[in-house]
Amino acid sequence: MEITGHPIDERINMEKVIIVGSGPAGYTAALYAGRAGLEPLLFAGPEPGGQLMITTDVENYPGFPDGIMGPDVMDLFRKQAEKFGARIRQETVESADLSSGTFSVMANGVKHESRTVIVSTGASAKWIGLESEVTFGGYGVSACATCDGFFFRGKTVAVVGGGDTAMEEANYLTRHADKVYLIHRRDQFRASKIMQERVLANPKVEVFWNSRIDEITGEMEPRKKVTGVRLASTIDDTKSDLPLDGVFVAIGHHPNSDIFKNSLETDENGYIKVKPFSTETNVSGVFACGDVTDHKYRQAITAAGSGCMAAIDAERHLESLGA
Ligand code: NAP
């Protein structure tokens, strides 16, 4: 409901802070805003908990020397935010109006107004862009080994990519599959050394260097399934067929900034721009944190750190408004 003609303080359901997104950045912003007494309203979005929900062992989050499972650590994040009064809604924000000093977001067809907005919508998996990838999505093609690896017990699968995610997925899949091919378009990985070493030392992993997937082949009857890939050399375009039961795409992520693009400045890849050493966007009162702003570090700990910054920035902004 549009309410006009009222002084700002008389508006119904005017929030102090709305947080969009529920990864490490969003929950940390909610924790800090909650402790500051701002009673933040957080929309968890289509992937509650964010990317760590599809990660197995998190070995590099400080405070967990024995590692922790991704979903378990996100459960702790959520509980801690709720403990300090964050209100968490399992809803997706469909659109946002950040054009005036009072902001609004639409979720489940309901409008929510707020003095400040923290955008922490994260990033999502990228796909190669093949039609066959869509055809067999969920029928042997996946972007999440920890979600779907179990279905490939005793089978042969491929992982595409050369970054840390691809290394992690390939290693993880060897727990289930008998054979894991790692398909990479260049002759060296960009993954960290330790992750590369683990993969290269794993006897179940075989690397196809300088290779790309031109087609994912499969059957539609009697049951839709992947049967292999058509590979092409990135050096001389030589083609070859590789029989497989599954393909895991692990080629990076894109920022979930689409609903904010009309109002917030982004870089050429869609990452929301923030001022240096700050979470301030180009719109005063709107802050952004976590992977939706960060193409460089993209770690849970850096996302959490920037979520903390966003909450502090929002709190100071509200103070400056006298709120
Ligand atoms: P990434 O580092 O951007 O690597 C993407 C990989 O996919 C690259 O090797 C790239 O090839 C390849 N690629 C991109 N587009 C492709 C396409 N269309 N076809 C074929 N290959 C393609 O992404 P990431 O591995 O998801 O990692 C993202 C960030 O998260 C990194 O900072 C990483 O360190 C971090 N991370 C950390 C951990 C951990 O520490 N446990 C785990 C996962 C991720 P080129 O190399 O040729 O560009």
Side-chain angles (χ1 to χ4, degrees):
M1 181 173 60
E2 186 66 39
I3 301 165
T4 54
H6 288 266
I8 207 163
D9 286 336
E10 287 177 28
R11 285 185 183 227
I12 300 162
N13 290 335
M14 171 65 71
E15 302 290 342
K16 292 192 178 87
V17 184
I18 281 180
I19 299 167
V20 190
S22 58
Y27 280 147
T28 305
L31 160 63
Y32 272 77
R35 279 194 88 238
L38 301 176
E39 300 172 315
L41 177 61
L42 181 147
F43 291 94
E47 295 170 30
Q51 293 176 67
L52 279 194
M53 296 301 281
I54 53 170
T55 302
T56 43
D57 304 323
V58 181
E59 294 178 330
N60 50 11
Y61 200 87
F64 299 96
D66 299 323
I68 183 165
M69 299 295 280
D72 293 346
V73 74
M74 290 322 299
D75 199 40
L76 295 173
F77 269 71
R78 183 183 48 73
K79 282 188 181 139
Q80 199 171 353
E82 283 178 330
K83 180 178 167 185
F84 292 107
R87 292 163 297 146
I88 294 167
R89 294 214 183 185
Q90 303 301 321
E91 292 172 18
T92 297
V93 169
E94 296 128 13
S95 62
D97 180 357
L98 309 178
S99 56
S100 64
T102 298
F103 310 116
S104 66
V105 300
M106 292 290 286
N108 267 6
V110 177
K111 184 174 176 177
H112 301 265
E113 291 188 308
S114 185
R115 300 277 185 80
T116 65
V117 173
I118 294 176
V119 179
S120 52
T121 41
S124 299
K126 275 187 191 164
W127 296 94
I128 304 170
L130 301 170
E131 211 170 288
S132 45
E133 195 179 31
V134 179
T135 306
F136 295 105
Y139 295 89
V141 176
S142 168
C144 175
T146 51
C147 314
D148 300 325
F150 178 80
F151 302 113
F152 295 89
R153 187 164 290 273
K155 306 236 162 141
T156 300
V157 298
V159 175
V160 190
D164 280 334
T165 303
M167 303 300 121
E168 200 171 62
E169 303 260 285
N171 253 332
Y172 175 76
L173 283 164
T174 61
R175 295 189 200 175
H176 298 290
D178 277 355
K179 180 86 191 171
V180 177
Y181 294 107
L182 187 50
I183 298 168
H184 184 42
R185 61 186 180 183
R186 291 188 297 129
D187 63 356
Q188 60 184 56
F189 293 134
R190 73 168 61 238
S192 55
K193 202 155 183 284
I194 184 168
M195 306 278 270
Q196 294 194 28
E197 281 168 1
R198 272 186 210 163
V199 160
L200 295 171
N202 190 323
K204 283 187 173 179
V205 177
E206 188 178 330
V207 183
F208 277 81
W209 302 103
N210 300 310
S211 301
R212 66 167 192 269
I213 294 180
D214 270 2
E215 200 63 75
I216 297 168
T217 52
E219 290 172 1
M220 302 303 279
E221 301 285 347
R223 191 172 59 84
K224 210 182 200 191
K225 64 171 187 180
V226 166
T227 54
V229 290
R230 157 126 315 189
L231 289 179
S233 160
T234 53
I235 296 172
D236 58 14
D237 213 35
T238 315
K239 315 280 191 212
S240 58
D241 289 315
L242 182 63
L244 291 171
D245 302 298
V247 179
F248 288 82
V249 180
I251 60 172
H253 298 84
H254 62 81
N256 298 317
S257 59
D258 288 357
I259 60 167
F260 304 105
K261 269 187 183 157
N262 287 340
S263 11
L264 300 184
E265 275 178 21
T266 61
D267 71 10
E268 65 280 10
N269 296 314
Y271 288 90
I272 295 173
K273 284 188 182 174
V274 289
K275 293 179 184 149
F277 308 111
S278 159
T279 62
E280 285 173 48
T281 66
N282 58 304
V283 176
S284 174
V286 179
F287 306 92
C289 52
D291 283 14
V292 74
T293 66
D294 175 18
H295 55 85
K296 187 174 176 190
Y297 300 106
R298 296 185 286 192
Q299 302 299 303
I301 183 66
T302 51
S306 72
C308 158
M309 290 164 64
I312 292 173
D313 287 344
E315 188 186 352
R316 291 187 181 154
H317 180 80
L318 288 165
E319 271 168 19
S320 75
L321 296 178

